[in-house]
Amino acid sequence: MPGLLSALEGFCVIGIVIGTGYVAARMRIGGPTAQMVLNRFSFFVSSPCLMFAILSKERIFEIFHSSIVVAFFSAVLVGLVFLILNRLFFHLKAADATIGALNSLYLNSNNIGLPIATYILGNPALVAPILVMQQAVFTPIGLTVLDVTTKGKVSTREILKQPLLIGSLLGIAVSAISAKTGHFVVPDCIYDPIDMIGDSAVPMILMAFGMSLHGTKPLQDKSNIPAVFTVAVLKNIVMPIIAFLLSYFVMGFRGATLYACVVLAALPTGQNVYNYAARYNVGLSFARDGILFSTLTSPIFIAIIA
């Protein structure tokens, strides 16, 4: 019970920061471009620094723990289910469908995942495979599709220039080198400012999300309501079930590892998805509503699992 309460405190912390962004927008602090500035700075500067800081200090065998197989395939399957349902029922445009797929599969592995892994599962390193999978695989794929659907073109150079991918790959490289040499190879005078800048990523993303709620109402776009509720069901119910089936019957996990895979699969959608939608100015209300409803319902299902 103390672990569950501590995890729910993580949701409370997030709610307060989002609320701060909402109040700031309501009071017009920062002017009309504040939300855009926070989103862009987080996307291009803070988030890459955060990924480098987290992954470079993580042990390489923890980053590529076998649970990454469950995280990967459960995410891929729910993303495919959304795309199939979109083809059959929702008929969203390609860019909006990409945001819907990311809403369905992208986990809030940092600011909710870390406290849950720490207080419920007792091991914060359990979120490392998810961080790697999302930043090294799903983020570049999603952003590449958004590039194609919004700009009509894409190049290998543009894919490799994605800031989040660069930060993640550099972090993994440093982790591997540090494991080989037996000590952390980045001097403190270099790592500490990167870590400090990275610490600003989550608050900026959350406050920008809170700012986006000002002047809008949830489910304002009535045509997106079925897709939004589908996203919440896929994220909070279907994905944990798939994770359980894969963990138990395919990977043969039992005990704490099985438990961790299922609990982490029930995490809500990460606010990064709204950050990506804002970056390309597509599916903003859809991303916002999907994140909001999955975040509101996720504690219920995590509590049931826990």
Side-chain angles (χ1 to χ4, degrees):
M1 184 61 70
L4 177 59
L5 292 175
S6 296
L8 294 179
E9 286 177 2
F11 285 93
C12 179
V13 169
I14 288 168
I16 291 173
V17 180
I18 290 174
T20 301
Y22 176 85
V23 172
R26 189 178 180 86
M27 296 178 67
R28 300 181 181 178
I29 297 174
T33 62
Q35 179 191 338
M36 181 270 290
V37 171
L38 290 179
N39 270 316
R40 288 183 61 83
F41 193 87
S42 175
F43 185 87
F44 286 104
V45 181
S46 298
S47 292
C49 288
L50 176 65
M51 295 314 304
F52 175 84
I54 291 175
L55 295 176
S56 63
K57 280 289 182 81
E58 199 63 66
R59 290 177 293 181
I60 192 69
F61 66 86
E62 291 288 355
I63 292 176
F64 294 101
H65 187 272
S66 57
S67 63
I68 198 172
V69 175
V70 174
F72 176 79
F73 283 104
S74 57
V76 167
L77 287 172
V78 294
L80 288 175
V81 169
F82 178 84
L83 293 176
I84 292 170
L85 292 174
N86 177 65
R87 178 96 179 197
L88 295 174
F89 303 109
F90 308 140
H91 308 298
L92 299 173
K93 294 180 180 179
D96 292 326
T98 302
I99 295 299
L102 290 173
N103 259 344
S104 303
L105 63 84
Y106 207 98
L107 301 174
N108 194 326
S109 54
N110 188 22
N111 47 326
I112 294 180
L114 278 174
I116 285 178
T118 301
Y119 297 117
I120 289 185
L121 306 175
N123 182 8
L126 289 169
V127 299
I130 298 174
L131 287 168
V132 173
M133 174 192 70
Q134 294 189 154
Q135 299 302 334
V137 180
F138 294 140
T139 292
I141 290 175
L143 295 181
T144 299
V145 173
L146 290 172
D147 260 333
V148 172
T149 54
T150 57
K151 300 177 183 177
K153 61 180 181 179
V154 71
S155 68
T156 303
R157 177 181 294 182
E158 289 300 315
I159 296 172
L160 296 176
K161 283 167 59 180
Q162 296 290 354
L164 287 166
L165 179 61
I166 294 171
S168 300
L169 293 179
L170 286 176
I172 294 171
V174 169
S175 175
I177 295 170
S178 299
K180 187 73 173 178
T181 60
H183 67 278
F184 189 60
V185 296
V186 180
D188 288 345
C189 63
I190 301 297
Y191 176 83
D192 288 348
I194 294 174
D195 185 43
M196 186 184 299
I197 295 170
D199 285 341
S200 69
V202 172
M204 283 199 292
I205 291 173
L206 292 175
M207 284 193 288
F209 181 72
M211 289 177 176
S212 74
L213 299 176
H214 175 62
T216 63
K217 296 180 180 178
L219 304 177
Q220 200 166 20
D221 187 346
K222 304 301 182 184
S223 63
N224 282 342
I225 290 178
V228 169
F229 282 105
T230 298
V231 162
V233 171
L234 288 173
K235 179 74 243 13
N236 296 147
I237 301 176
V238 176
M239 193 169 179
I241 292 173
I242 293 175
F244 172 78
L245 295 174
L246 290 174
S247 299
Y248 193 90
F249 294 106
V250 178
M251 300 299 294
F253 293 154
R254 299 293 186 272
T257 305
L258 172 65
Y259 180 47
C261 288
V262 179
V263 168
L264 293 177
L267 291 172
T269 302
Q271 274 80 13
N272 305 60
V273 176
Y274 179 79
N275 190 224
Y276 305 154
R279 169 74 181 90
Y280 290 91
N281 196 30
V282 293
L284 290 171
S285 62
F286 186 21
R288 181 173 55 242
D289 290 340
I291 293 166
L292 181 62
F293 280 92
S294 74
T295 302
L296 290 174
T297 56
S298 178
I300 299 170
F301 294 101
I302 288 178
I304 291 171
I305 296 168

